[in-house]
PDB file of all heavy atoms in Angstrom:
ATOM      1  N   GLY H  11       7.426  -3.677   6.782  1.00 94.00           N
ATOM      2  CA  GLY H  11       8.094  -4.867   6.338  1.00 94.00           C
ATOM      3  C   GLY H  11       7.095  -5.599   5.479  1.00 94.00           C
ATOM      4  O   GLY H  11       6.039  -5.056   5.199  1.00 94.00           O
ATOM      5  N   SER H  12       7.505  -6.648   4.997  1.00 94.00           N
ATOM      6  CA  SER H  12       6.560  -7.532   4.059  1.00 94.00           C
ATOM      7  C   SER H  12       5.209  -7.689   4.702  1.00 94.00           C
ATOM      8  O   SER H  12       5.161  -8.034   5.830  1.00 94.00           O
ATOM      9  CB  SER H  12       7.237  -8.822   3.890  1.00 94.00           C
ATOM     10  OG  SER H  12       6.272  -9.808   3.214  1.00 94.00           O
ATOM     11  N   VAL H  13       4.178  -7.328   4.063  1.00 94.00           N
ATOM     12  CA  VAL H  13       2.871  -7.508   4.630  1.00 94.00           C
ATOM     13  C   VAL H  13       2.511  -8.957   4.747  1.00 94.00           C
ATOM     14  O   VAL H  13       1.387  -9.215   5.350  1.00 94.00           O
ATOM     15  CB  VAL H  13       1.800  -6.729   3.756  1.00 94.00           C
ATOM     16  CG1 VAL H  13       1.991  -5.237   3.693  1.00 94.00           C
ATOM     17  CG2 VAL H  13       1.811  -7.285   2.330  1.00 94.00           C
ATOM     18  N   ARG H  14       3.213  -9.817   4.224  1.00 93.00           N
ATOM     19  CA  ARG H  14       2.895 -11.314   4.440  1.00 93.00           C
ATOM     20  C   ARG H  14       3.592 -11.867   5.645  1.00 93.00           C
ATOM     21  O   ARG H  14       3.171 -12.794   6.152  1.00 93.00           O
ATOM     22  CB  ARG H  14       3.271 -12.013   3.133  1.00 93.00           C
ATOM     23  CG  ARG H  14       2.549 -11.695   1.859  1.00 93.00           C
ATOM     24  CD  ARG H  14       2.899 -12.483   0.749  1.00 93.00           C
ATOM     25  NE  ARG H  14       2.101 -12.097  -0.464  1.00 93.00           N
ATOM     26  CZ  ARG H  14       2.223 -12.775  -1.605  1.00 93.00           C
ATOM     27  NH1 ARG H  14       3.140 -13.717  -1.829  1.00 93.00           N
ATOM     28  NH2 ARG H  14       1.483 -12.369  -2.686  1.00 93.00           N
ATOM     29  N   THR H  15       4.779 -11.247   5.895  1.00 93.00           N
ATOM     30  CA  THR H  15       5.454 -11.931   7.054  1.00 93.00           C
ATOM     31  C   THR H  15       6.063 -10.986   8.124  1.00 93.00           C
ATOM     32  O   THR H  15       6.192 -11.467   9.237  1.00 93.00           O
ATOM     33  CB  THR H  15       6.686 -12.703   6.341  1.00 93.00           C
ATOM     34  OG1 THR H  15       7.518 -11.830   5.644  1.00 93.00           O
ATOM     35  CG2 THR H  15       6.206 -13.787   5.481  1.00 93.00           C
ATOM     36  N   ASN H  16       6.429  -9.763   7.760  1.00 93.00           N
ATOM     37  CA  ASN H  16       7.161  -8.974   8.644  1.00 93.00           C
ATOM     38  C   ASN H  16       6.511  -7.597   9.124  1.00 93.00           C
ATOM     39  O   ASN H  16       7.177  -6.867   9.801  1.00 93.00           O
ATOM     40  CB  ASN H  16       8.539  -8.581   8.005  1.00 93.00           C
ATOM     41  CG  ASN H  16       9.404  -9.815   7.792  1.00 93.00           C
ATOM     42  OD1 ASN H  16       9.259 -10.832   8.423  1.00 93.00           O
ATOM     43  ND2 ASN H  16      10.318  -9.792   6.806  1.00 93.00           N
ATOM     44  N   PHE H  17       5.251  -7.417   8.820  1.00 97.00           N
ATOM     45  CA  PHE H  17       4.537  -6.268   9.164  1.00 97.00           C
ATOM     46  C   PHE H  17       4.035  -6.341  10.572  1.00 97.00           C
ATOM     47  O   PHE H  17       3.500  -7.457  10.903  1.00 97.00           O
ATOM     48  CB  PHE H  17       3.509  -5.933   8.163  1.00 97.00           C
ATOM     49  CG  PHE H  17       2.795  -4.625   8.429  1.00 97.00           C
ATOM     50  CD1 PHE H  17       3.053  -3.502   7.724  1.00 97.00           C
ATOM     51  CD2 PHE H  17       1.668  -4.629   9.329  1.00 97.00           C
ATOM     52  CE1 PHE H  17       2.373  -2.278   7.954  1.00 97.00           C
ATOM     53  CE2 PHE H  17       0.967  -3.498   9.541  1.00 97.00           C
ATOM     54  CZ  PHE H  17       1.322  -2.290   8.876  1.00 97.00           C
ATOM     55  N   ALA H  18       4.090  -5.360  11.290  1.00 97.00           N
ATOM     56  CA  ALA H  18       3.435  -5.469  12.705  1.00 97.00           C
ATOM     57  C   ALA H  18       2.923  -3.960  13.138  1.00 97.00           C
ATOM     58  O   ALA H  18       3.543  -2.966  12.771  1.00 97.00           O
ATOM     59  CB  ALA H  18       4.405  -6.016  13.718  1.00 97.00           C
ATOM     60  N   TRP H  19       1.970  -3.886  13.910  1.00 98.00           N
ATOM     61  CA  TRP H  19       1.618  -2.547  14.479  1.00 98.00           C
ATOM     62  C   TRP H  19       1.190  -2.808  15.910  1.00 98.00           C
ATOM     63  O   TRP H  19       0.812  -3.899  16.338  1.00 98.00           O
ATOM     64  CB  TRP H  19       0.489  -1.979  13.700  1.00 98.00           C
ATOM     65  CG  TRP H  19      -0.859  -2.735  13.752  1.00 98.00           C
ATOM     66  CD1 TRP H  19      -1.285  -3.688  12.970  1.00 98.00           C
ATOM     67  CD2 TRP H  19      -1.954  -2.459  14.660  1.00 98.00           C
ATOM     68  NE1 TRP H  19      -2.591  -4.152  13.362  1.00 98.00           N
ATOM     69  CE2 TRP H  19      -2.926  -3.355  14.413  1.00 98.00           C
ATOM     70  CE3 TRP H  19      -2.062  -1.541  15.710  1.00 98.00           C
ATOM     71  CZ2 TRP H  19      -4.132  -3.323  15.114  1.00 98.00           C
ATOM     72  CZ3 TRP H  19      -3.234  -1.588  16.491  1.00 98.00           C
ATOM     73  CH2 TRP H  19      -4.293  -2.556  16.146  1.00 98.00           C
ATOM     74  N   ALA H  20       1.280  -1.700  16.612  1.00 97.00           N
ATOM     75  CA  ALA H  20       0.886  -1.771  18.060  1.00 97.00           C
ATOM     76  C   ALA H  20       0.193  -0.369  18.389  1.00 97.00           C
ATOM     77  O   ALA H  20       0.535   0.690  17.749  1.00 97.00           O
ATOM     78  CB  ALA H  20       2.059  -1.910  19.032  1.00 97.00           C
ATOM     79  N   GLY H  21      -0.663  -0.314  19.262  1.00 98.00           N
ATOM     80  CA  GLY H  21      -1.439   0.857  19.661  1.00 98.00           C
ATOM     81  C   GLY H  21      -1.645   0.985  21.079  1.00 98.00           C
ATOM     82  O   GLY H  21      -1.677   0.005  21.858  1.00 98.00           O
ATOM     83  N   LEU H  22      -1.656   2.364  21.484  1.00 98.00           N
ATOM     84  CA  LEU H  22      -1.896   2.664  22.945  1.00 98.00           C
ATOM     85  C   LEU H  22      -2.886   3.782  23.064  1.00 98.00           C
ATOM     86  O   LEU H  22      -2.858   4.724  22.144  1.00 98.00           O
ATOM     87  CB  LEU H  22      -0.674   3.091  23.668  1.00 98.00           C
ATOM     88  CG  LEU H  22       0.435   2.076  23.840  1.00 98.00           C
ATOM     89  CD1 LEU H  22       1.675   2.711  24.435  1.00 98.00           C
ATOM     90  CD2 LEU H  22      -0.030   0.958  24.798  1.00 98.00           C
ATOM     91  N   ASP H  23      -3.874   3.684  23.925  1.00 98.00           N
ATOM     92  CA  ASP H  23      -4.796   4.792  24.179  1.00 98.00           C
ATOM     93  C   ASP H  23      -4.206   5.539  25.505  1.00 98.00           C
ATOM     94  O   ASP H  23      -4.044   4.905  26.495  1.00 98.00           O
ATOM     95  CB  ASP H  23      -6.179   4.267  24.563  1.00 98.00           C
ATOM     96  CG  ASP H  23      -6.936   3.901  23.265  1.00 98.00           C
ATOM     97  OD1 ASP H  23      -6.719   4.544  22.094  1.00 98.00           O
ATOM     98  OD2 ASP H  23      -7.804   3.064  23.287  1.00 98.00           O
TER      99      ASP H  23
END
Side-chain angles (χ1 to χ4, degrees):
S12 167
V13 294
R14 296 183 179 182
T15 58
N16 295 334
F17 183 96
W19 68 272
L22 292 173
D23 282 329

